[in-house]
Amino acid sequence: MNASNDDLDLKSLWQDTAAPDVDDLINSVRKSRARMWQLLAVELVGTIGALIMMAIYTVWGVFGDRYWFPVGLSVVAVGVQAWTWRWRAGLWHALSDAPIDLLKLQRKRTLMNLKLARYYFWGTPICLLLGLAFAFLAVDDGFSAGFSEPVRVTLLISVSLLALLTIIYGGRMTNRCKRDLILIDARINEFEGNEK
Amino acid sequence: MNRDSTLRAWLDDHGAMIERIAYSYERRPALVAELVQETALALWRALPSFRGDSSEKTFIARIAHNVSVSHVRKAARARWTPLSDALSDTLADEQPTPDEHADQRDRRALLLNAVRDLPLSLRPVMTLHLEGFSNGEIAEALSLTANNVGVRLTRGKTHLKKQLGNVT
């Protein structure tokens, strides 16, 4: 058998497979889209709810004349939400790019994720210390002036729990990003033909 | 034709190719099914960006390769699957067939494993060649030069020949 016949034989052998169930695939696409919309709706309701609560507390005078506090929190809430959406958009918009460009973009994003994970890991103890300072030190004219003891204790517990969770999350995310980075680098090398 | 019906038509025409491309990256059928679903979703999302500059088959093949190649986490989960397990997984869902069909099935499984063992620099080129793409179409789908495709094809065929021995 000559090379051309071998090639044809391999092609027919390769292509001799059944098609997947298209109805199942269409259903899975519909379900994924529905999940995306549900998540978006829940997040929108959460963010808008937080803004409304902040407005109500302000009207009730909970923050006294410290208007920068609810405004600052609202800006942070909206900013975090916008950033989350941008982050979660993932690589799908680049899926029609050249494979090597996609891999390089994926590498860049993973590096950014790694930086973020390190920020979570190291930044949260600083936030915890700041929380402690706000809650217990600046009693007279600082942020916590006028807050009662139970409020300060609640603040301390909340900040500590949040910090602990963020440290755990940051540590796991760091490890995952490092593993991903090794795999992506290997794929880039392999794709460019530099494999050993 | 709206977006949903275009996606259905694309999956009807090219679903088998998408699944074969996913199998060229992953051994386990469950992961392949996930990859095929993700490719379908990626196609639905990418549909508005399809301007018809290339053929739809080239566009779909590129997205299918990209979804598979960028799935490092799935690859990490699957990389410890022993080859023998993968082979039996791949064949597990198939119905018992007469001898000649069983032989065909075994040869296909061997070919699939040989393609999967190709280095990543050669695998997409070889996969698209086996799908019946011309060198020009492969170059377009993978953003390579025609010369580069030729070189990689020659190396890929040599690798495959070595792996398969006298299978064909």
Side-chain angles (χ1 to χ4, degrees), chain A:
Chain A
M1 199 184 278
N2 63 33
S4 170
N5 282 341
D6 276 355
D7 202 40
L8 282 177
D9 189 28
L10 280 183
K11 278 183 185 172
S12 71
L13 192 62
W14 176 260
Q15 291 174 24
D16 182 22
T17 58
D21 189 329
V22 172
D23 287 330
D24 266 5
L25 281 178
I26 297 282
N27 277 338
S28 81
V29 170
R30 282 199 187 120
K31 278 182 195 161
S32 299
R33 278 159 48 194
R35 272 198 301 272
M36 287 188 301
W37 283 113
Q38 282 163 7
L39 190 62
L40 183 73
V42 167
E43 287 176 350
L44 265 180
V45 167
T47 305
I48 292 169
L51 294 180
I52 290 171
M53 288 295 288
M54 211 68 75
I56 290 171
Y57 285 153
T58 308
V59 170
W60 284 351
V62 171
F63 305 112
D65 56 358
R66 291 185 294 268
Y67 290 110
W68 58 268
F69 184 63
V71 170
L73 276 184
S74 303
V75 169
V76 168
V78 172
V80 165
Q81 191 56 69
W83 183 82
T84 307
W85 285 339
R86 190 181 176 279
W87 199 257
R88 203 184 296 130
L91 293 166
W92 70 266
H93 62 282
L95 280 173
S96 53
D97 288 355
I100 191 67
D101 293 338
L102 180 77
L103 282 172
K104 285 178 178 169
L105 178 66
Q106 193 181 18
R107 187 182 194 282
K108 207 184 282 179
R109 288 183 67 102
T110 308
L111 272 176
M112 277 167 65
N113 275 335
L114 186 59
K115 279 184 194 162
L116 182 75
R118 285 177 174 152
Y119 170 77
Y120 279 149
F121 192 77
W122 295 108
T124 41
I126 296 168
C127 288
L128 176 62
L129 287 175
L130 284 176
L132 280 169
F134 280 145
F136 291 102
L137 299 178
V139 178
D140 294 332
D141 55 357
F143 165 80
S144 61
F147 285 169
S148 62
E149 193 63 26
V151 170
R152 282 186 220 163
V153 172
T154 309
L155 187 66
L156 173 67
I157 292 171
S158 313
V159 171
S160 304
L161 272 178
L162 190 65
L164 185 67
L165 287 175
T166 317
I167 287 171
I168 293 170
Y169 177 72
R172 294 183 63 160
M173 193 173 160
T174 305
N175 289 336
R176 206 175 58 199
C177 287
K178 282 180 182 168
R179 278 198 305 269
D180 284 357
L181 209 56
I182 292 169
L183 287 165
I184 294 167
D185 281 342
R187 287 206 162 182
I188 289 175
N189 273 333
E190 222 188 312
F191 202 86
E192 288 180 331
N194 302 327
E195 74 279 2
K196 291 187 178 109

Side-chain angles (χ1 to χ4, degrees), chain B:
Chain B
M1 215 192 290
N2 69 25
R3 210 162 154 186
D4 283 346
S5 45
T6 306
L7 178 67
R8 180 177 281 279
W10 281 9
L11 291 174
D12 275 331
D13 293 344
H14 306 293
M17 175 184 76
I18 293 170
E19 194 170 60
R20 287 192 293 267
I21 289 175
Y23 260 118
S24 73
Y25 287 89
E26 300 294 355
R27 296 180 191 281
R28 292 186 182 183
L31 291 184
V32 168
E34 270 182 55
L35 277 181
V36 172
Q37 284 177 6
E38 284 184 32
T39 305
L41 183 63
L43 283 174
W44 185 83
R45 286 169 136 169
L47 246 163
S49 69
F50 178 64
R51 302 266 175 263
D53 300 334
S54 58
S55 73
E56 61 180 46
K57 194 178 174 189
T58 308
F59 183 76
I60 293 166
R62 173 182 275 205
I63 289 184
H65 270 293
N66 279 345
V67 168
S68 296
V69 88
S70 58
H71 256 265
V72 285
R73 235 163 264 159
K74 286 192 195 308
R77 272 196 283 152
R79 70 187 155 166
W80 301 114
T81 312
L83 194 64
S84 52
D85 289 1
L87 194 62
S88 53
D89 279 350
T90 307
L91 303 175
D93 293 337
E94 301 195 14
Q95 298 299 314
T97 52
D99 282 351
E100 64 270 24
H101 288 158
D103 179 49
Q104 173 87 348
R105 187 190 60 180
D106 291 347
R107 289 168 66 217
R108 200 169 63 229
L110 282 171
L111 174 61
L112 192 58
N113 279 320
V115 168
R116 212 160 28 212
D117 286 342
L118 285 172
L120 202 55
S121 56
L122 309 178
R123 204 184 315 165
V125 174
M126 206 59 222
T127 311
L128 294 185
H129 172 72
L130 290 170
E131 286 294 338
F133 283 62
S134 69
N135 286 15
E137 286 172 324
I138 297 173
E140 192 179 16
L142 302 174
S143 298
L144 298 169
T145 63
N147 275 347
N148 206 325
V149 170
V151 171
R152 289 181 191 220
L153 260 184
T154 310
R155 286 178 59 197
K157 283 177 186 174
T158 311
H159 267 262
L160 270 192
K161 214 171 181 179
K162 226 182 276 177
Q163 295 267 12
L164 293 171
N166 58 356
V167 170
T168 56

